[in-house]
Amino acid sequence: MSKESQALAKEAQSKQPLTKNQVIDKLLNNALYILMIIAVIIIQIINPKFLAPASLINILNQTAAYLPAALGIAGCIVLTGTDLSAGRAIGLTACISASLLQNPESANKMWTAIGCLPIPVVILIVMAIGAVIGIFNGFFVAKFKLHPFIVTLATQLILFTFMLTYVKMGNNNGMAIASLDNSYSNFIKGSLVKIPTGNNTSIPIPNYVWISLFLVVMMWFIWNKTTFGKNMFALGANEEAAKVSGVNVMLTTIAVFALAGAMYGITGFIEGARVASNNANTGLNYELDAIAACVIGGVSFVGGIGKISGVVIGVLLLRLIYIGLNFAHVPPDMFYLVKGGIILFACALDMRKYLVKK
């Protein structure tokens, strides 16, 4: 059959009315999006300030803060894995960033022997630390065929020990790492653009939003336009077929985890200034938010399936719900219940899609 005939056949098929089963399938496949949209509408009815300009900017800011970690962990999920060490890697790199960029004149400066390092140097340091953590994870996954869940769980515990040790080093004595240099705070939380909100008022868009936007474009290019991206999806879809096609399984696996680690390092750099007071609990449970956002956005644990646009949508929807819960005056203790329910429901829908195709 010619391409023209195939196109005409598809067009004719698309014009046919959907059957009852097809409608049910579409509703189930998009059930999570539908439920979240309904939740947003209900929250808006409860509190009309939820979708006010100031709140929308806050949602944008929160999305940008959590997005780099999700962009990193998404690659691990594409390989049918995960990364439970992401939160601790973010916390460690946040503490390191903050300690190297404290105000030199602060009485609580952690490393008194050095001043405030240049920002580009610190960015490279934390990205390198994150990448090394990722290489460690990827090596054990690829070399010894260990499940990423086990490897990254072990790494999570190791990194937490490093964090507990690090915050007690130098002149810090276990205190929160604060008193950041203005250059660091302004680089992350400063603003070049302000959004008018009426009545001669405006809301600034922090610089880290543009950093996250740049990372989205970069990761889209890597996933869609490079050989590395093609190899990653091929490996996630079918390891044996990828190996036969000439994909270096070990190198690709290590590279995916290394890239994820570098993204955690950037997230930690952003969080160091955004939080402004860093301790051993910085980054706690960030991996759960990232995993939930990826699954909501269609990155499948089955492997070989996912889009950067989906990750962005997943992070945005998750932030909408979390911030909306605050506006609806839901107790913070219930947030973990909501988070767990979203992850479970999203994974169930993902597996259903896989079983239907199979």
Side-chain angles (χ1 to χ4, degrees), residues 9-22:
K10 288 182 179 179
E11 185 179 350
Q13 188 177 4
S14 65
K15 290 181 180 179
Q16 294 178 356
L18 295 174
T19 65
K20 181 181 177 182
N21 289 336
Q22 287 175 324

Side-chain angles (χ1 to χ4, degrees), residues 289-325:
D289 288 338
I291 292 170
C294 289
V295 177
I296 290 169
V299 183
S300 177
F301 275 104
V302 173
I305 300 171
K307 294 181 179 180
I308 292 298
S309 59
V311 176
V312 175
I313 291 171
V315 176
L316 176 60
L317 286 176
L318 206 58
R319 289 299 110 195
L320 268 170
I321 294 300
Y322 289 169
I323 294 173
L325 292 175

